[in-house]
Amino acid sequence: MVCRFHKQHLLHGEHRLPEVIRPITRGYRFDLLPFKLWPRQMGLQTDGSTFLLEGVPFRILGGSMHYFRVPREYWQDRMLKMKACGLNTLTTYVAWNMHEAAKGIYDFTGNLDLGAFLRIAEEVGLWVILRPGPYICAEWDFGGLPSWLLRDKKMKLRTTYPGFTAAVDAYFDHLIPTVLELQYKKGGPIIAVQVENEYGAYAKDSNYMEYVKTALLKRGIVEMLMTSDSKDGLSSGSLEGVLATVNFQKKENFLFSYLETLQSNMPKMVMEYWTGWFDQWGSDHHVYDADQMVRTVAEILNEGASINFYMFHGGTNFGFMNGATHFKEYLPHITSYDYDAPLTEAGEYTSKYHKLREILATIQGDQLPMPPIIMPKASYEMVTMTHYVSLWDVLHFTGEPYACDEPVNMENLPVNDGNGQSYGYTLYETLVYGGGVLNTMGNVLDRARIFINNQAMGIVDRNNHEVFIPEVPGYRKMRFLVENCGRVNYGTKLDEQRKGIVGDVVLRENPLRTFKIYSLDMNMTFIKSLNTAQWSSPPDDHEGPAFFRGTLNVHFTNLDTFLSMKGWKKGVVFVNGQNLGRYWDIGPQETLFVPGTWLRPGSNEIIIFEEFEGGQTLRSVDAPFLGRPYYVQ
């Protein structure tokens, strides 16, 4: 590796690039690759409106990519594509709910090996801005917070409430040591660390941000600290001695001047320049015009500001990890986190990538590395669903149900060694006499199918609370198959979102009592246990809720592919035990991304949990369909 300092002069004469780009090439360029032998003493600093890295003027050209949304085998490929686009910095959140899924049990292995992720960034030649939270938003379930926090009925998230700070302290005691030696001054790639995330929009505790800052410092963080907020949260989210940065998609003229009033004569940085947008179930696929993006990026760079592209590569909300929004109404996010970013969900180049590369090449001066070759995508043969088993026939694989008089919410169930249930479905079972109007009182979250003696009666959700139960004399078994569709990741009501049945439901205005509750988190252990189930050939009506099984045959190389879910209604797909995520025929997403690294040559097991009525076949296709485009304004 080499160290290079050189003066980059503005060329005269013919230019192929827009006039607005030319001024940004004036000044010094710093192109120091991560290099253990270089004396690391000063790190990232500020000198008036300029960043300095080891005393040399430096501009952050960053891109966001989250290790927990991308298979480990693809980390290096995506980073090389960042580098080839002209980026010099990688930013990533750290997902607390993945690293401490159960209280006191920490996982930094496999796809959660944060240290390995950061070392790959260093090898590729990217600096790192680490965004450790504890809250991250990110359109990720619960904004990255672990659901077991909600077992405390008095919990006050993102405040100095002792129950929350004790949990954060324990987590940071394990997280921070994994990154200490990867800081710039220790010879690693981390040049800055973010304090929490967009706290100005929450701002429930004036002491909280100082607490997080101190928690980082006293555990050995020595690099520059930053905050990150949208325009409405800048003033209440900033901290003394911490660089404030701003998030936006459209550059409003007053933003940088407003930032200047908060911290005069400091570098301007857009921590999140939103390259696209996320999607919710039942909406269209949001896209953001590439030319409009380029014009805004040029404006930002022309003002001498640093920038981080959020997202540069979005990836996938595998499993049940999608978040949700809840402003006027609750809207869960889809499985794909493509984000209309410069790199697609499967890591392919877009027009945004090429346009950004042209701009950033003017700043980097030297010829950029050639972008890595895109691996082809596969369209494998049709999968026929050859086996079927009803959900009712595999409930025993969940263990003994929990018996209680009143319904208990998902997070407070006495399962998973006292951690409650975090994700998936929960089945509530009780006996009822007769019929009448069933009213959930809004206490079923987020949605449920209602069954009487295994016969479907209807669906309840946040908006539809009533189902009519036909009158029949005698007792019958009533079941609520409740789905946690994803916890809200942003807003001021994070504390108020326990899942399952969270209060009374009434039949003929009488509260139901005496429940058996089955935890259906559908983790890998449960899916593997289905190997011993009594599978049969699918019946003609393909009625759910049920599991369907088939085989995807890979005759040659195992390449990335997409599963088309046309002909299926709502459920989850597992490939070789890995949870690809949810599908839903209300769209916009119609395909699920299957990483080739999760496949193997030969036979690959496909298991689909279908809530309603399953299809007979499943198509593997070589291109995604994420829905009808809707242009973000």
Side-chain angles (χ1 to χ4, degrees):
M1 296 184 182
V2 296
C3 304
R4 288 178 291 175
F5 297 86
H6 59 82
K7 186 73 178 275
Q8 182 176 322
H9 297 283
L10 182 64
L11 300 176
H12 299 283
E14 289 294 318
H15 290 273
R16 291 175 297 168
L17 297 171
E19 179 69 28
V20 73
I21 301 301
R22 295 182 197 172
I24 63 178
T25 62
R26 293 194 178 98
Y28 286 94
R29 174 171 175 258
F30 182 80
D31 186 22
L32 174 66
L33 295 178
F35 184 37
K36 296 284 185 184
L37 299 181
W38 183 258
R40 307 290 189 92
Q41 297 176 349
M42 293 181 283
L44 187 67
Q45 297 175 306
T46 64
D47 180 15
S49 61
T50 303
F51 282 117
L52 303 177
L53 188 54
E54 209 58 35
V56 177
F58 176 68
R59 178 182 293 196
I60 297 168
L61 303 172
S64 288
M65 163 185 160
H66 304 145
Y67 59 97
F68 45 87
R69 280 182 161 125
V70 181
R72 178 173 179 154
E73 295 84 354
Y74 296 162
W75 289 347
Q76 185 182 63
D77 171 78
R78 307 312 194 244
M79 292 182 198
L80 287 169
K81 290 169 179 172
M82 287 183 168
K83 188 73 176 177
C85 193
L87 301 187
N88 58 27
T89 303
L90 165 77
T91 70
T92 185
Y93 284 128
V94 180
W96 181 6
N97 55 7
M98 299 296 285
H99 292 293
E100 195 184 359
K103 186 177 182 180
I105 300 176
Y106 302 92
D107 186 0
F108 291 91
T109 63
N111 226 89
L112 298 178
D113 192 338
L114 176 61
F117 180 77
L118 300 180
R119 283 187 287 272
I120 292 172
E122 180 180 30
E123 292 167 5
V124 168
L126 293 169
W127 301 112
V128 172
I129 296 176
L130 191 68
R131 310 174 79 184
Y135 163 83
I136 63 173
C137 185
E139 290 74 62
W140 191 249
D141 185 86
F142 208 16
L145 302 175
S147 67
W148 49 260
L149 290 168
L150 295 172
R151 292 176 67 81
D152 180 351
K153 294 182 179 179
K154 298 179 180 179
M155 177 57 65
K156 295 181 177 61
L157 301 168
R158 304 179 73 192
T159 70
T160 52
Y161 171 68
F164 184 67
T165 57
V168 173
D169 286 339
Y171 168 56
F172 274 9
D173 284 344
H174 286 80
L175 168 65
I176 302 304
T178 68
V179 300
L180 282 182
E181 297 305 312
L182 293 169
Q183 295 182 94
Y184 175 89
K185 292 174 185 174
K186 305 285 187 179
I190 300 173
I191 58 173
V193 177
Q194 185 175 298
V195 181
E196 236 265 356
N197 188 60
E198 296 182 316
Y199 193 70
Y202 198 74
K204 289 191 174 184
D205 186 335
S206 59
N207 298 315
Y208 173 68
M209 286 291 281
E210 191 64 44
Y211 154 72
V212 178
K213 172 186 171 182
T214 303
L216 295 170
L217 292 176
K218 75 179 185 181
R219 287 172 175 81
I221 294 298
V222 296
E223 305 303 336
M224 177 181 286
L225 298 180
M226 299 177 170
T227 59
S228 170
D229 286 281
S230 300
K231 62 179 181 180
D232 295 334
L234 275 171
S235 59
S236 51
S238 58
L239 267 174
E240 181 89 24
V242 177
L243 183 73
T245 68
V246 66
N247 306 334
F248 60 78
Q249 185 169 69
K250 179 182 178 181
K251 182 180 175 296
E252 299 174 78
N253 292 331
F254 73 91
L255 273 176
F256 282 165
S257 58
Y258 179 48
L259 198 56
E260 178 72 19
T261 65
L262 295 176
Q263 49 182 28
S264 62
N265 200 28
M266 295 290 279
K268 305 295 187 297
M269 179 167 177
V270 184
M271 180 62 79
E272 293 185 11
Y273 174 70
W274 302 322
T275 61
W277 204 244
F278 50 84
D279 297 335
Q280 293 110 348
W281 290 113
S283 70
D284 293 323
H285 172 47
H286 294 84
V287 297
Y288 185 54
D289 182 73
D291 290 329
Q292 188 172 349
M293 181 199 74
V294 166
R295 285 192 295 271
T296 305
V297 170
E299 290 178 29
I300 294 168
L301 296 177
N302 198 42
E303 292 202 28
S306 288
I307 190 170
N308 176 63
F309 298 100
Y310 187 99
M311 296 293 297
F312 193 84
H313 173 50
T316 310
N317 298 317
F318 292 117
F320 297 112
M321 299 311 299
N322 63 278
T325 55
H326 192 186
F327 297 106
K328 294 182 179 179
E329 60 179 323
Y330 170 82
L331 295 170
H333 303 315
I334 67 171
T335 298
S336 172
Y337 199 62
D338 178 87
Y339 206 86
D340 193 38
L343 288 179
T344 69
E345 178 180 16
E348 296 188 324
Y349 303 118
T350 67
S351 62
K352 288 181 179 177
Y353 180 94
H354 297 297
K355 291 174 185 290
L356 284 178
R357 188 170 187 266
E358 184 179 7
I359 289 180
L360 298 180
T362 69
I363 300 177
Q364 298 291 37
D366 292 346
Q367 184 175 355
L368 296 178
M370 287 298 294
I373 296 172
I374 295 293
M375 290 296 292
K377 305 299 183 285
S379 178
Y380 296 110
E381 64 186 43
M382 188 83 72
V383 177
T384 300
M385 310 313 292
T386 55
H387 293 81
Y388 164 97
V389 63
S390 170
L391 171 66
W392 316 129
D393 294 332
V394 296
L395 287 178
H396 58 284
F397 289 123
T398 67
E400 284 295 316
Y402 174 58
C404 54
D405 185 43
E406 299 181 1
V408 176
N409 62 285
M410 174 187 285
E411 294 83 359
N412 284 97
L413 288 174
V415 297
N416 297 325
D417 297 322
N419 287 280
Q421 183 182 345
S422 296
Y423 313 108
Y425 296 78
T426 309
L427 184 71
Y428 294 78
E429 183 180 285
T430 186
L431 291 177
V432 297
Y433 186 89
V437 174
L438 174 75
N439 191 324
T440 65
M441 315 287 287
N443 289 325
V444 171
L445 302 176
D446 295 303
R447 59 185 298 279
R449 289 192 78 193
I450 311 298
F451 299 87
I452 292 290
N453 289 346
N454 299 348
Q455 182 178 356
M457 294 287 106
I459 299 171
V460 292
D461 56 27
R462 290 170 174 263
N463 300 314
N464 305 303
H465 300 165
E466 292 187 354
V467 169
F468 180 74
I469 307 299
E471 186 71 50
V472 174
Y475 285 95
R476 294 175 292 172
K477 185 181 294 185
M478 176 178 284
R479 284 167 163 163
F480 299 76
L481 179 60
V482 185
E483 181 190 11
N484 165 8
C485 294
R487 294 183 182 85
V488 172
N489 53 267
Y490 182 85
T492 57
K493 297 182 179 181
L494 292 178
D495 305 334
E496 304 170 21
Q497 52 176 330
R498 290 163 179 84
K499 301 292 187 177
I501 299 183
V502 301
D504 281 339
V505 293
V506 299
L507 179 64
R508 299 187 307 275
E509 300 184 357
N510 296 311
L512 299 182
R513 292 291 182 262
T514 312
F515 287 88
K516 289 182 180 179
I517 306 177
Y518 298 82
S519 176
L520 289 162
D521 53 12
M522 297 194 189
N523 58 28
M524 189 172 287
T525 300
F526 173 80
I527 295 301
K528 288 181 177 178
S529 73
L530 296 180
N531 289 330
T532 59
Q534 296 298 309
W535 295 86
S536 62
S537 297
D540 292 338
D541 58 9
H542 295 84
E543 184 67 24
F547 294 90
F548 297 79
R549 188 171 69 184
T551 300
L552 173 66
N553 291 309
V554 175
H555 296 300
F556 301 103
T557 306
N558 46 312
L559 300 173
D560 293 348
T561 188
F562 303 87
L563 296 181
S564 172
M565 302 312 299
K566 284 213 166 195
W568 299 78
K569 290 190 68 67
K570 190 177 195 314
V572 193
V573 180
F574 302 85
V575 175
N576 295 328
Q578 298 270 16
N579 189 334
L580 294 183
R582 312 173 205 255
Y583 63 90
W584 198 350
D585 66 354
I586 65 173
Q589 179 176 2
E590 294 184 10
T591 56
L592 290 175
F593 175 54
V594 184
T597 186
W598 289 5
L599 299 174
R600 51 180 177 250
S603 299
N604 294 268
E605 181 186 64
I606 307 288
I607 290 180
I608 301 177
F609 174 66
E610 167 62 51
E611 291 184 35
F612 295 90
E613 183 178 354
Q616 295 179 324
T617 58
L618 190 65
R619 286 193 307 125
S620 162
V621 295
D622 59 8
F625 183 74
L626 297 179
R628 182 179 63 182
Y630 172 81
Y631 281 87
V632 177
Q633 298 302 314

